[in-house]
C-alpha cells in the first residue's frame, strides 16, 4: 500500500464533520442526511475508521448488529484521493476479522455498484430472495 493507513474502532477518533460531509454530499445513498442523523448512526453502530499516517480520516464504515444473529454493513467509503491503494480492502478485512462481527450468523449489505468488491470478502446475492421481506418507512 502506497500510504501507510490503519483502521480504528475508537469512536472518539471518528471525524463526524468529515463523515457527514462525505455521506450527505458525495455518496449516492445518503444525500442530504443531516449531521444529527449521522451522529446518531455513529452512536448506535460499531464504527470503523480508516486513517492515514498523519491520523487524518480517509474512510469509514459502520455495522449495526445484535452481536448474535445479524449484522448490517453500511456507509462504507474511502475518499477519492485514497481509492485504489488497498485501503478499502484493509477496511473490509478489519470489519470481517472483528471478533464481534465474526460471531454473528450473517452479514448483510446493499450496494448499487460494488458487488465484485464485496464478493472478495464472501458476500453473495441473497440465496432465496422470496423469503426476505422489507418495510421502508421513508
Amino acid at each position: 500500500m502506497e500510504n501507510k493507513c490503519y483502521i480504528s474502532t475508537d469512536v472518539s477518533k471518528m471525524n463526524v464533520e468529515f463523515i457527514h460531509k462525505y455521506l450527505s454530499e458525495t455518496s449516492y445513498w445518503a444525500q442530504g442526511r443531516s449531521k444529527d442523523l449521522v451522529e446518531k448512526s455513529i452512536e448506535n453502530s460499531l464504527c470503523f475508521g480508516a486513517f492515514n499516517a498523519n491520523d487524518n480520516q480517509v474512510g469509514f464504515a459502520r455495522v449495526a448488529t445484535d452481536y448474535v444473529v445479524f449484522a448490517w454493513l453500511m456507509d462504507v467509503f474511502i475518499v477519492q484521493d485514497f481509492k485504489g491503494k488497498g485501503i478499502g480492502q484493509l477496511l473490509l478485512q478489519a470489519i470481517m476479522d472483528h471478533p464481534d462481527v465474526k460471531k454473528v450468523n450473517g452479514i448483510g449489505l446493499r450496494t448499487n455498484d460494488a458487488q465484485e468488491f464485496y464478493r472478495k470478502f464472501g458476500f453473495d446475492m441473497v440465496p432465496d430472495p422470496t423469503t426476505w421481506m422489507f418495510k421502508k418507512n421513508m
Side-chain angles (χ1 to χ4, degrees):
M1 183 179 336
E2 185 177 328
N3 294 314
K4 298 286 185 197
C5 289
Y6 67 94
I7 308 302
S8 176
T9 58
D10 181 353
V11 176
S12 69
K13 289 185 66 69
M14 303 301 157
N15 181 334
V16 177
E17 296 290 334
F18 163 81
I19 297 165
H20 172 252
K21 182 174 176 62
Y22 186 92
L23 291 176
S24 66
E25 296 178 14
T26 305
S27 76
Y28 66 80
W29 65 89
Q31 288 286 308
R33 188 179 293 171
S34 73
K35 185 177 176 195
D36 287 343
L37 290 178
V38 170
E39 288 173 339
K40 186 174 184 176
S41 71
I42 290 170
E43 290 168 9
N44 291 291
S45 300
L46 174 59
C47 297
F48 295 80
F51 298 86
N52 69 12
N54 296 324
D55 284 329
N56 295 315
Q57 192 163 3
V58 299
F60 177 76
R62 65 188 184 90
V63 176
T65 184
D66 65 359
Y67 298 99
V68 177
V69 177
F70 196 71
W72 194 259
L73 178 60
M74 297 173 278
D75 294 337
V76 180
F77 71 87
I78 302 296
V79 293
Q80 188 61 44
D81 290 349
F82 287 83
K83 285 185 178 180
K85 300 178 185 209
I87 300 166
Q89 292 183 34
L90 182 70
L91 178 61
L92 257 290
Q93 196 60 60
I95 294 167
M96 296 300 105
D97 290 343
H98 192 280
D100 289 333
V101 175
K102 286 177 91 162
K103 289 187 235 175
V104 299
N105 293 343
I107 306 166
L109 65 83
R110 287 187 62 193
T111 182
N112 287 351
D113 59 0
Q115 289 83 356
E116 292 308 311
F117 173 78
Y118 290 109
R119 278 191 179 95
K120 296 176 195 172
F121 296 92
F123 288 89
D124 204 350
M125 304 309 283
V126 174
D128 186 0
T130 61
T131 65
W132 285 69
M133 295 182 77
F134 183 75
K135 179 185 179 292
K136 187 159 176 70
N137 286 331
M138 298 179 155

